[in-house]
């Protein structure tokens, strides 16, 4: 297995201006060749993802119309249309622009399109040595069963790394945050303006719909590659409400849900009841509800229940001290077995909604939108492969310096505690909201990433303002005071005011811990000496 971090360094580091121009020229040729080979119905730029209604689309177009990625296995890097379980058909539906293949060598069959026809099973699917269920992962030198994490099987991990799926998943989300600076992108994805969808992250119902289609595309692709081992990519059959509902590795860490999360899970399980169907006028509204974070609201969706289910499901499986493949490591979360359990459950909710609305699994529109998402992901893989070099890879095993001081000794342990789970979501790589609070980082690096650094989800606020905890977004979020702080959305930052760590019952950081955090900021927010 290759457990490497491919997401360190800025977009500027990864792409010089000359290389950027070359890439854009190559991409333009890529897209033009695709348009020449389609049936005349594709778009030549970004298409706007719809809300699942008559004019809904599947998002931006992309690559993948020729051959599969030549990764040594013959497998490709996108999803197919086999067993697609569709979205609403209607007049004016389009699927985004087509594109050229991601990889392809002389041995590839140019007529086969994995986006249209699906994947052939991976050779390891028939290997008697391939196992079912989760694989266990421990940090080097630590076999404590309380810190074990669960991943998909090694054969799947190898394939995903070879085909850059982890990277492409990051860029798929980043290109939907271009109105906030393309948060998380490592290849300057927002520079490819022809690919940027008009529906941006949790701003429209169209984005909610694209979220559902994209993750179904990945689920279907993996189930096609490993049909004999597809349990790994099959979701919870119902919202987990007790320890017995989850794999044995997670039962000792089980904590009961907050009331709002539990109620939302029940709505998901019973989405086909008339009173629940009435809460969402279309698939886009449902997707917004399933995707977006605590405190986010969709204009015009007056009957939408509590929002935040996706994020509390992710937070449930955080492992502080073991985030290499963590479900909250946004650079590698698709490695995680629980990622597919929770996203498979979300997909089950969506399908149950569709069937209750009379939408058929064979609807052409869903097939077209799945193909569009496949092609977009393939294009993102192509961009990544042309721009990441070996020197961009950070060594995750480099030793950390010996440090001391108030932050290192008093504040950092709060973030890395097994109770608060902060560093499970905000580690050294793939950190949510670009905010690192622990993991394989020095305390100096953590402080430098906090002090006078603008927040990505706190509007005009900075994360930490030395001497002023009441205007420090980190403290306001932990103390449950962000809601009333007067956050104003800016051109680079949303306002997501829910308490952190996620909770519907108020702050989970103890009063004594909050006082330590407040004192550190009030005293000047100094780093290690």
């Amino acid at each position: 297995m290759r457990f490497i971090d491919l997401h360190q360094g800025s977009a500027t580091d990864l792409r010089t201006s000359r290389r950027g121009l070359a890439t854009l020229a190559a991409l333009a040729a890529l897209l033009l060749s695709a348009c020449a080979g389609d049936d005349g119905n594709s778009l030549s730029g970004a298409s706007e993802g719809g809300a699942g209604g008559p004019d809904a689309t599947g998002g931006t177009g992309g690559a993948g119309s020729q051959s599969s990625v030549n990764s040594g296995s013959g497998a490709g890097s996108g999803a197919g249309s086999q067993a697609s379980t569709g979205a609403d058909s209607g007049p004016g539906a389009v699927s985004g622009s087509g594109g050229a293949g991601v990889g392809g060598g002389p041995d590839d069959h140019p007529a086969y399109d994995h986006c249209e026809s699906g994947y052939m099973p991976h050779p390891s699917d028939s290997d008697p040595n391939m196992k079912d269920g989760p694989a266990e992962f421990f940090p080097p030198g630590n076999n404590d069963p309380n810190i074990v994490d669960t991943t998909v099987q090694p054969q799947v991990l190898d394939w995903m790394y070879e085909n850059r799926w982890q990277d492409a998943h990051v860029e798929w989300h980043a290109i939907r945050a271009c109105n906030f600076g393309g948060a998380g992108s490592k290849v300057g994805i927002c520079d490819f303006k022809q690919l940027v969808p008009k529906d941006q992250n949790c701003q429209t119902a169209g984005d909610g719909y694209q979220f559902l289609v994209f993750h179904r595309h990945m689920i279907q692709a993996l189930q096609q590659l490993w049909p004999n081992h597809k349990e790994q990519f099959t979701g919870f059959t119902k919202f987990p409400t007790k320890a017995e509902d989850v794999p044995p590795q997670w039962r000792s860490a089980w904590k009961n849900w907050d009331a709002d999360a539990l109620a939302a899970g029940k709505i998901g399980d019973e989405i086909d009841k008339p009173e629940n169907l009435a809460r969402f006028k279309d698939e886009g509204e449902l997707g917004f509800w399933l995707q977006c974070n605590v405190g986010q609201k969709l204009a015009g969706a007056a009957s939408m229940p509590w929002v935040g289910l996706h994020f509390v499901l992710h937070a449930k499986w955080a492992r502080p001290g073991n985030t290499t493949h963590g479900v909250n490591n946004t650079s590698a979360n698709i490695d995680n077995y629980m990622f597919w359990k929770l996203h498979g459950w979300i997909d089950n909710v969506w399908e149950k909604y569709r069937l209750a609305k009379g939408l058929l699994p064979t609807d052409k529109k869903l097939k077209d939108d799945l193909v569009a998402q496949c092609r977009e992901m393939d294009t993102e893989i192509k961009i990544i492969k042309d721009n990441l070099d070996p020197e961009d890879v950070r060594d995750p095993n480099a030793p950390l310096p010996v440090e001391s001081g108030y932050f290192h000794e008093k504040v950092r342990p709060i973030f890395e505690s097994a109770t608060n789970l902060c560093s499970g979501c905000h580690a050294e790589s793939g950190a949510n909201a670009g905010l690192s609070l622990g993991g394989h980082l020095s305390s100096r690096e953590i402080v430098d990433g906090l002090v006078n650094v603008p927040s990505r989800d706190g509007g005009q606020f900075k994360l930490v303002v030395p001497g002023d905890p009441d205007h420090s977004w980190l403290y306001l979020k932990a103390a449950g005071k962000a809601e009333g702080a007067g956050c104003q959305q800016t051109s680079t930052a949303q306002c997501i005011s829910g308490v952190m760590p996620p909770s519907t019952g108020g702050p989970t950081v103890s009063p004594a811990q909050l006082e330590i955090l407040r004192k550190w900021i009030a005293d000047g927010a100094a780093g290690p000496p």
Side-chain angles (χ1 to χ4, degrees):
M1 279 184 272
R2 298 187 299 159
F3 298 146
I4 58 174
D5 179 4
L6 299 172
H7 301 287
Q8 300 298 325
S10 67
T12 303
D13 295 333
L14 296 173
R15 298 174 59 245
T16 63
S17 58
R18 185 168 67 177
R19 290 180 67 204
L21 288 172
T23 302
L24 285 170
L27 183 62
L30 201 99
L31 294 173
L32 286 172
S33 68
C35 293
D38 65 22
D39 61 3
N41 293 324
S42 62
L43 301 179
S44 58
S47 58
E48 181 176 2
D55 298 311
T57 70
T60 59
S65 63
Q66 291 189 352
S67 59
S68 60
V69 173
N70 187 0
S71 66
S73 66
S77 62
S81 58
Q82 293 176 350
S84 63
T85 47
D88 182 20
S89 296
V94 296
S95 62
S97 61
V102 174
D107 296 328
D108 289 321
H109 195 300
Y112 189 83
D113 181 352
H114 61 257
C115 290
E116 291 282 356
S117 303
Y119 282 103
M120 300 298 292
H122 190 275
S124 64
D125 187 56
S126 56
D127 184 343
N129 294 317
M130 185 170 183
K131 299 178 180 179
D132 292 309
E136 294 185 342
F137 178 79
F138 294 89
N142 188 343
N143 291 324
D144 180 356
N146 293 316
I147 205 172
V148 64
D149 203 353
T150 50
T151 72
V152 292
Q153 290 296 319
Q155 296 90 336
V156 181
L157 281 180
D158 285 344
W159 182 89
M160 290 197 296
Y161 274 103
E162 288 167 3
N163 290 282
R164 309 302 284 271
W165 260 38
Q166 289 86 347
D167 302 342
H169 180 244
V170 169
E171 300 303 333
W172 186 92
H173 282 283
I175 204 170
R176 285 160 175 79
C178 289
N179 59 342
F180 297 109
S185 178
K186 301 303 179 184
V187 297
I189 196 67
C190 296
D191 291 344
F192 299 89
K193 298 186 184 299
Q194 69 272 44
L195 300 179
V196 177
K198 296 177 182 178
D199 291 306
Q200 292 284 285
N201 181 53
C202 290
Q203 302 295 299
T204 65
D207 176 69
Y209 176 66
Q210 291 184 33
F211 168 83
L212 294 174
V213 177
F214 174 67
H215 288 86
R216 178 170 291 185
H217 143 66
M218 292 196 296
I219 290 169
Q220 289 185 351
L222 293 171
Q223 290 182 346
Q224 291 162 4
L225 283 160
W226 286 279
N228 294 322
H229 302 276
K230 64 182 179 181
E231 178 276 333
Q232 294 176 77
F233 325 111
T234 302
F236 294 121
T237 56
K238 64 182 184 66
F239 187 79
T241 58
K242 57 186 184 298
E244 292 74 20
D245 294 337
V246 301
Q249 294 88 342
W250 290 99
R251 290 174 186 170
S252 64
W254 179 264
K255 294 180 181 178
N256 290 331
W257 296 100
D258 292 330
D260 283 350
L262 195 62
K266 182 177 175 62
I267 290 171
D269 282 341
E270 299 176 352
I271 193 66
D272 51 350
K273 288 188 174 182
E275 62 270 26
N276 291 330
L277 291 174
R279 298 173 185 268
F280 310 100
K281 68 180 181 183
D282 53 41
E283 297 173 273
E285 283 196 0
L286 178 70
F288 181 98
W289 175 66
L290 288 167
Q291 175 188 197
C292 298
N293 206 343
V294 178
Q296 292 185 297
K297 298 178 180 178
L298 179 63
S303 60
M304 186 171 291
W306 173 81
V307 174
L309 199 52
H310 177 211
F311 283 81
V312 299
L313 277 165
H314 269 263
K316 192 77 166 177
W317 321 117
R319 280 290 202 220
N322 188 7
T323 62
T324 302
H325 304 282
V327 76
N328 289 297
N329 177 347
T330 58
S331 293
N333 55 14
I334 67 171
D335 298 0
N336 201 282
Y337 181 81
M338 300 305 282
F339 178 95
W340 301 104
K341 294 292 114 177
L342 74 91
H343 276 276
W345 178 80
I346 287 173
D347 190 71
N348 291 341
V349 173
W350 177 31
E351 184 59 15
K352 188 181 290 187
Y353 174 92
R354 287 177 43 77
L355 292 174
K357 289 281 192 175
L359 303 174
L360 299 177
T362 54
D363 284 345
K364 182 179 184 298
K365 182 180 183 302
L366 181 63
K367 177 181 176 179
D368 290 344
D369 291 341
L370 285 165
V371 168
Q373 289 298 329
C374 175
R375 300 206 194 290
E376 178 185 343
M377 189 179 190
D378 283 3
T379 295
E380 288 153 357
I381 291 170
K382 175 67 176 174
I383 293 169
I384 292 161
K385 284 189 169 184
D386 283 352
N387 287 279
L388 280 183
D389 298 321
E391 61 264 32
D392 300 320
V393 179
R394 173 177 175 160
D395 179 4
N397 298 312
L400 296 176
V402 176
E403 297 177 289
S404 60
Y406 191 86
F407 177 86
H408 182 75
E409 297 168 5
K410 298 290 187 180
V411 179
R412 180 171 181 166
I414 296 172
F415 301 145
E416 295 188 320
S417 77
T419 301
N420 295 322
L421 302 177
C422 301
S423 65
C425 302
H426 300 280
E428 70 273 18
S429 64
N432 282 314
L435 171 63
S436 294
L437 297 174
H440 196 73
L441 288 172
S442 68
S443 289
R444 167 57 62 189
E445 288 175 297
I446 295 172
V447 171
D448 288 346
L450 294 174
V451 174
N452 290 319
V453 173
S455 170
R456 288 188 184 177
D457 63 7
Q460 76 277 23
F461 287 90
K462 294 180 179 178
L463 291 170
V464 170
V465 179
D468 192 357
D470 292 322
H471 288 90
S472 298
W473 194 244
L474 179 70
Y475 174 77
L476 293 171
K477 290 274 281 185
K481 297 180 178 181
E483 185 73 37
C487 182
Q488 297 292 323
Q489 182 170 301
T490 70
S491 61
T492 58
Q494 305 178 70
C495 284
I496 302 177
S497 56
V499 67
M500 279 291 178
S503 170
T504 58
T508 61
V509 179
S510 73
Q513 291 172 330
L514 285 172
E515 184 55 35
I516 290 172
L517 178 59
R518 183 178 180 88
K519 173 177 169 55
W520 172 66
I521 297 173
D523 289 348

